[in-house]
Amino acid sequence: MAIKDYIRERFFPHMWCPGCGHGIVLNSLLRAVEELGMSKNEIVMVSGIGCSSRISGYLDFHTLHTIHGRALAFATGVKLSRPELNLIVPMGDGDALAIGGNHFIHAARRNIDLTAIVMNNRIYGMTGGQFSPLSGCGVMATTAPFATVDQSFDVAELAKAAGATFVARSTTYHVQQLTKLLREAILHEGFSVVEVLTQCPTYFGRRNKQGGAVEMMKWFKDNTTPVGSKAKQENPALIERGIFVQKEMPEYCKAYDQVIERAQKGK
Amino acid sequence: MAEVQTKPKLKEHRINRAWCKGCGICVAFCPKQVLELDDQDKAVAVRPEDCIACKLCELRCPDLAIEIITE
Ligand SMILES: Cc1ncc(C[n+]2csc(CCOP(=O)(O)OP(=O)(O)O)c2C)c(N)n1
Ligand code: SF4
Ligand code: SF4
Ligand code: SF4
Ligand SMILES: [Mg+2]
């Protein structure tokens, strides 16, 4: 199927600002799904609220646009009732790890077979540029006019510690890697997390004098390195890209099926 | 027998002017400087003969506005 067959063309051009990285995540995801040869009917996309969450409106899968921070909770319900479907849950950094932080760690702990995509632009884009738990120290935001003093989460470390069985990271600059990681995350049986460093030129870029979309993507190129590279040893400030965790553990829906079986036997 | 791998050859840059928002991402990261923005801030292929059909512009466009058609 051509990638255009997976979108709702009537809603294009989309609402994202010029150069918004969320569009590149959409682009890469379309290619991952196309390369896997999936049909639109076997995918359910569940999103919350945020610029990132608007992605579900543009894709012609089964889609649920739910409430801020709760996408994983809705997705858990869908997956438990229809475990044969593939659940993809795109979230913003605020959505996934501020208001939705608890849902995030518990979905990871259960190892339920969902694909979580954290579209990390380090800012609340939709509501006008407030800082998020992923902004990190020294970031300018509408709610931090003299810069943030908050440390940020490392999404990959957090997901790993909480029990996710597939954890990866890439950026909107590294689109070929991103497509490959999304493909693997979808195929993985268990809770998978793909963090994507993505640009919000309108709020993050402008306030932090990072330039426009092009300069922000160059920053991703210059400040990231493949997992386990020599460059990382020489410069610990570099952010690693690639797969951090890929392991097999009992999946939640499968485990729950056994409970049902036991209950039906009455023992 | 190994098959002869011929590189895909460019036929056309299909640019959707209604969807292009002029972000310049395709222009900045084209390895062969094939693309430019015109006076309406829309991407155009000004040096199509230099295009190596790597498709990086297509893969990085946030607006799905550029497509590389190969022979
Ligand atoms: C329960 C609730 N609280 C707050 C909001 C307001 N709100 C909407 S989107 C958003 C944050 C968006 O940031 P992020 O999740 O990072 O997504 P982005 O827009 O950056 O893609 C907030 C706080 C809301 N819609 N619902
Ligand atoms: S405000 Fe930021 S995140 Fe939202 S569409 Fe614009 S660039 Fe993208
Ligand atoms: S990347 Fe896409 S939207 Fe941006 S200038 Fe090129 S064609 Fe237009
Ligand atoms: S296909 Fe590659 S070489 Fe051709 S215009 Fe696009 S980025 Fe440039
Ligand atoms: Mg955000």
Side-chain angles (χ1 to χ4, degrees):
Chain A
M1 222 154 81
I3 70 153
K4 289 266 162 73
D5 295 331
Y6 288 106
I7 62 173
R8 296 174 180 149
E9 265 193 71
R10 64 189 183 281
F11 297 135
F12 282 70
H14 57 54
M15 54 76 73
W16 292 314
C17 305
C20 174
H22 294 346
I24 305 181
V25 180
L26 167 72
N27 191 328
S28 279
L29 180 65
L30 283 166
R31 296 187 200 262
V33 167
E34 193 230 12
E35 284 167 17
L36 289 171
M38 297 171 88
S39 84
K40 300 195 272 189
N41 253 336
E42 58 184 319
I43 306 173
V44 185
M45 176 172 276
V46 185
S47 68
I49 299 293
C51 293
S52 35
S53 296
R54 293 289 296 264
I55 191 173
S56 62
Y58 298 118
L59 286 160
D60 202 23
F61 310 146
H62 299 288
T63 59
L64 258 89
H65 193 179
T66 68
I67 50 180
H68 192 41
R70 270 67 195 182
L72 285 170
F74 284 88
T76 297
V78 176
K79 183 69 186 179
L80 274 170
S81 65
R82 297 291 301 272
E84 72 280 13
L85 297 176
N86 293 283
L87 271 287
I88 302 178
V89 189
M91 294 172 286
D93 45 315
D95 198 33
L97 289 151
I99 191 168
N102 234 29
H103 292 295
F104 185 86
I105 56 175
H106 291 288
R109 176 178 61 81
R110 291 188 185 117
N111 194 35
I112 185 161
D113 185 16
L114 310 174
T115 303
I117 306 171
V118 181
M119 296 158 77
N120 180 11
N121 55 17
R122 303 173 63 194
I123 202 88
Y124 288 0
M126 177 156 275
T127 45
Q130 297 82 3
F131 70 88
S132 91
L134 298 184
S135 296
C137 265
V139 163
M140 305 295 281
T142 33
T143 44
F146 302 102
T148 50
V149 291
D150 305 49
Q151 300 291 337
S152 71
F153 282 132
D154 178 323
V155 180
E157 288 295 329
L158 179 71
K160 188 174 156 184
T165 48
F166 182 95
V167 181
R169 178 189 293 129
S170 192
T171 86
T172 52
Y173 176 82
H174 303 90
V175 279
Q176 285 146 318
Q177 179 187 44
L178 178 56
T179 301
K180 184 177 154 280
L181 294 178
L182 289 171
R183 223 168 47 211
E184 293 203 34
I186 292 169
L187 288 178
H188 178 78
E189 199 184 304
F191 191 68
S192 17
V193 178
V194 179
E195 181 192 9
V196 191
L197 305 185
T198 171
Q199 70 275 12
C200 169
T202 303
Y203 291 108
F204 194 92
R206 204 182 279 167
R207 278 199 175 258
N208 289 284
K209 304 214 168 24
Q210 279 209 350
V214 168
E215 291 73 25
M216 295 179 83
M217 287 170 72
K218 281 198 184 126
W219 192 92
F220 296 150
K221 174 172 180 264
D222 297 339
N223 291 279
T224 64
T225 183
V227 176
S229 72
K230 207 163 152 253
K232 174 76 180 172
Q233 287 165 16
E234 284 158 14
N235 179 6
L238 291 175
I239 303 166
E240 289 182 295
R241 291 182 280 112
I243 299 176
F244 302 96
V245 179
Q246 189 168 26
K247 62 178 181 188
E248 274 182 43
M249 291 276 284
E251 193 277 325
Y252 193 72
C253 299
K254 294 258 166 72
Y256 203 82
D257 278 347
Q258 291 170 5
V259 173
I260 295 171
E261 231 174 86
R262 283 203 297 276
Q264 282 171 343
K265 282 188 197 143
K267 54 181 179 193
Chain B
M1 279 289 285
E3 264 181 59
V4 183
Q5 283 280 337
T6 45
K7 284 204 180 126
K9 215 171 152 285
L10 176 82
K11 203 157 101 197
E12 143 190 37
H13 291 81
R14 200 170 285 165
I15 296 169
N16 183 339
R17 294 180 65 84
W19 290 12
C20 170
K21 294 183 187 144
C23 67
I25 290 171
C26 59
V27 176
F29 297 119
C30 168
K32 297 290 170 189
Q33 288 84 47
V34 171
L35 305 161
E36 278 180 21
L37 294 182
D38 67 11
D39 54 7
Q40 291 171 7
D41 270 352
K42 303 286 177 187
V44 277
V46 287
R47 282 171 289 276
E49 64 283 2
D50 292 345
C51 174
I52 52 169
C54 66
K55 296 202 179 189
L56 281 169
C57 51
E58 176 175 331
L59 300 178
R60 288 206 182 96
C61 174
D63 288 86
L64 310 178
I66 180 162
E67 212 180 328
I68 299 297
I69 312 292
T70 50
E71 271 169 6

